[in-house]
Amino acid sequence: MSTFEFFSPCPRGLEAALAAEIAEIGAQHAPLDTGATVPGGVHFAGDWRAAMAVNLHSRIASRVLLRLAVRSYRSENDIYSFAREQAWEQWFGPRQTLRIDMTAVKSPLKSVDFATLKVKDAICDRLRERAGDRPNIDTVAPDVRVFVFLDATHCTLYLDTTGEPLFKRGWRLDKGAAPLRENLAAGILRLTGWTPGTPLYDPMCGSGTFVAEAAQLALGIAPGSDRRFAFEKIRQYDITAWQAMKVAALDARRAARARTGDLGIYGSDISGDMLVKARANLERAGAPGIALKQVDARFLSAPSATPGVLVANPPYGERIEVRGRRGQRDLGDDGWDSAPQRGDARVGEREGTGADADFFKAFGDTLKQNFAGWHAYVLTADRGLPGLMRLRESLKTPLFNGAIECRLFRFDLISGSLRRG
Ligand SMILES: C[S@@+](CC[C@H](N)C(=O)[O-])C[C@H]1O[C@@H](n2cnc3c(N)ncnc32)[C@H](O)[C@@H]1O
């Protein structure tokens, strides 16, 4: 069986976490060799089974790209000749639609768009010559995507094996206000060191990304078990191995449905509407039994007697909603399985940085008072957050949420000595 070189991009800051995850997938599902970890992704090598397994099982990768060829270049014409030489007809035909994406870093070329057109022309000319016709371009839902990476001296051609990016698991019904990408949430869970069996709590769960990712992990549901992949439309992929992998993933998903026990995974949010969305997302993610509750994060209590991991990405740069009647601490029914109320009343809403400061101080206070022994992780673009919360972080990890540079702050809620004043 042929061995190929692959590259998996991921959110920046999660490269080491992805490398560890790919190594685990290799050990469990298909032999592979992890290669270099570079800013923005991880190289690995293996046969088709490796690419299929990483597509199906990676929670952190954004895609899996098959590296076809790399060569030095100086001009657009060099790129055209290089692309024209590749045996594209081995991978796809003129009836399949095509999209080309190019990324250039320190490239001497004047126009990335023009270079992209050159690659498109080269592939179309090659297929017209070898297969009698050229493929149509479809930038929205193409059958085949070719990725081109240009650095100062070299051009690398990749064939995408993924299609829609891997953070699209297929379970998200409604995006909510500002959902985290699923692969960023999963990477953060890995950075926290959380493992199934330890309590996990997201007190600003929004559409439920952290809890859905954690629940699928705990239940052994493969993140890609409910979606299709671009390799399914590529010639040469190993269809027999894929069918076996897919059947195993679907069996595991079905078996998870039968597991009704408490997973120790909890979510809450002040917004009843968000909880309705989170509930629908969890249902589609195959984890309907997760406990959700409507609570203002200023007034939290620990959801379990055993300390665990609290993880949250609070609102940032937007009005912090502080809703509910003053003095009413818990806006939902008693118990963690209560159904959220729709369209909760908005009373006592405040806005502005003063309100933000009040909110984060109250959030910090509630953590100090009610979460002794827990480890709290907060993702934010606000570097001043520990000061606002009056807590001293024990660790801060730079991460990118899309283009936004963030920090994942860790707070060890052990004793009063953490107070800043
Ligand atoms: C950035 S979003 C979190 C998104 C979430 N991680 C997801 O992936 O969908 C922030 C969330 O904090 C919630 N929120 C705002 N004020 C709150 C408060 N006082 N108490 C609890 N939740 C609050 C919002 O309703 C929103 O769902």
Side-chain angles (χ1 to χ4, degrees):
M1 206 173 275
S2 319
T3 296
F4 301 103
E5 300 283 330
F6 299 100
F7 178 68
S8 267
C10 66
R12 273 191 291 157
L14 293 178
E15 295 87 349
L18 174 59
E21 187 193 53
I22 288 177
E24 283 170 19
I25 292 169
Q28 284 170 28
H29 301 285
L32 57 80
D33 294 316
T34 41
T37 297
V38 297
V42 177
H43 292 272
F44 66 97
D47 60 30
W48 266 111
R49 288 173 300 165
M52 297 186 302
V54 175
N55 270 302
L56 178 60
H57 293 285
S58 174
R59 294 193 171 275
I60 302 175
S62 301
R63 18 183 102 252
V64 179
L65 303 173
L66 165 63
R67 197 176 79 180
L68 295 177
V70 55
R71 181 174 303 166
S72 63
Y73 76 99
R74 285 206 181 146
S75 66
E76 287 88 352
N77 284 343
D78 292 345
I79 292 173
Y80 175 89
S81 314
F82 175 43
R84 173 105 193 228
E85 279 170 31
Q86 306 307 315
W88 301 103
E89 64 280 1
Q90 278 182 14
W91 303 106
F92 58 93
R95 296 236 173 105
Q96 283 160 295
T97 56
L98 176 66
R99 173 184 165 132
I100 320 278
D101 285 278
M102 185 174 284
T103 305
V105 177
K106 297 185 181 154
S107 166
L109 300 186
K110 287 206 181 73
S111 162
V112 170
D113 287 347
F114 185 55
T116 309
L117 272 181
K118 285 294 204 181
V119 174
K120 190 259 302 171
D121 287 347
I123 297 174
C124 289
D125 290 349
R126 170 89 189 193
L127 285 184
R128 200 183 284 112
E129 181 190 284
R130 302 285 170 126
D133 204 354
R134 54 154 287 180
N136 286 327
I137 300 299
D138 180 346
T139 53
V140 180
D143 296 323
V144 176
R145 286 170 205 250
V146 169
F147 280 77
V148 187
F149 180 70
L150 300 181
D151 65 16
T153 53
H154 285 79
C155 170
T156 311
L157 297 173
Y158 295 101
L159 187 65
D160 177 39
T161 72
T162 298
E164 289 258 85
L166 289 175
F167 69 80
K168 296 196 178 176
R169 317 283 201 222
W171 54 253
R172 192 180 287 288
L173 269 180
D174 184 311
K175 291 199 161 163
L180 269 189
R181 286 196 171 165
E182 291 74 352
N183 59 343
L184 178 57
I188 288 172
L189 286 177
R190 185 177 267 267
L191 292 181
T192 69
W194 173 80
T195 48
T198 303
L200 182 88
Y201 181 25
D202 178 356
M204 292 176 233
C205 70
S207 61
T209 316
F210 280 123
V211 286
E213 287 299 312
Q216 284 202 333
L217 250 176
L219 291 167
I221 298 175
S225 58
D226 199 25
R227 55 161 283 163
R228 310 297 300 258
F229 298 98
F231 64 73
E232 294 174 76
K233 291 185 175 169
I234 286 175
R235 296 173 178 167
Q236 290 201 28
Y237 85 97
D238 186 341
I239 189 163
T240 313
W242 174 234
Q243 279 167 348
M245 264 184 213
K246 181 95 195 211
V247 166
L250 291 175
D251 284 349
R253 203 182 162 97
R254 265 189 293 276
R257 279 254 159 213
R259 282 182 57 191
T260 49
D262 178 15
L263 294 178
I265 297 171
Y266 311 89
S268 65
D269 198 284
I270 196 165
S271 161
D273 291 342
M274 290 310 301
L275 292 176
V276 169
K277 287 171 187 164
R279 167 97 38 226
N281 284 333
L282 282 163
E283 173 75 39
R284 284 167 55 95
I290 298 302
L292 296 179
K293 194 176 179 185
Q294 193 173 13
V295 190
D296 184 330
R298 294 174 302 165
F299 308 119
L300 301 175
S301 49
S304 61
T306 322
V309 172
L310 181 145
V311 65
N313 82 298
Y316 173 70
E318 60 193 86
R319 186 166 60 190
I320 294 194
E321 296 174 276
V322 179
R323 298 196 233 171
R325 272 160 276 151
R326 283 180 202 286
Q328 181 184 351
R329 299 194 149 216
D330 180 343
L331 303 177
D333 299 333
D334 289 333
W336 279 91
D337 285 316
S338 60
Q341 302 157 7
R342 260 185 185 279
D344 36 293
R346 304 178 67 151
V347 189
E349 196 173 85
R350 297 177 294 175
E351 57 184 300
T353 48
D356 289 7
D358 288 351
F359 169 78
F360 283 113
K361 179 176 179 308
F363 179 45
D365 285 347
T366 206
L367 294 187
K368 279 179 271 196
Q369 281 155 19
N370 302 326
F371 286 81
W374 285 66
H375 300 286
Y377 291 81
V378 182
L379 178 74
T380 179
D382 182 355
R383 296 188 195 185
L385 194 87
L388 290 178
M389 289 172 66
R390 311 277 206 277
L391 282 170
R392 185 166 294 126
E393 75 274 13
S394 58
L395 192 66
K396 61 177 173 224
T397 309
L399 287 176
F400 278 80
N401 183 6
I404 305 170
E405 185 174 352
C406 294
R407 293 285 179 276
L408 180 67
F409 290 109
R410 169 179 160 149
F411 304 106
D412 298 321
L413 301 162
I414 294 163
S415 74
S417 63
L418 290 158
R419 284 170 190 272
R420 271 194 170 172

